[in-house]
Amino acid sequence: MTYDAIVITNKGKHTYQNIEAKNEQHLTDMIHKDLKTEIVEIEIKKTFGEEFNYE
């Protein structure tokens, strides 16, 4: 699935777009590794791979 994320850390605000990840936890882990700092707040939005129920 593809996600967008807005991340706030002690060092500022970071934006990620169209990041491929298995799930939100995987995405958070990837971002944490990339930033190498504590994440204060994270807002995640799924942009692709959404499952729709048309019933």
Side-chain angles (χ1 to χ4, degrees):
M1 289 185 237
T2 306
Y3 297 91
D4 288 350
I6 298 170
V7 183
I8 299 172
T9 68
N10 295 330
K11 296 181 180 180
K13 185 176 179 179
H14 308 269
T15 304
Y16 290 83
Q17 293 183 309
N18 298 320
I19 304 297
E20 286 282 332
K22 297 175 196 171
N23 53 41
E24 290 184 10
Q25 183 60 54
H26 182 230
L27 176 66
T28 302
D29 292 346
M30 288 170 44
I31 291 171
H32 188 261
K33 255 187 181 177
D34 181 53
L35 294 174
K36 297 179 179 118
T37 188
E38 183 180 344
I39 294 172
V40 176
E41 185 179 331
I42 187 166
E43 181 182 320
I44 296 172
K45 179 180 173 192
K46 196 181 295 183
T47 57
F48 182 75
E50 190 89 33
E51 292 183 22
F52 296 100
N53 185 358
Y54 294 106
E55 291 184 43

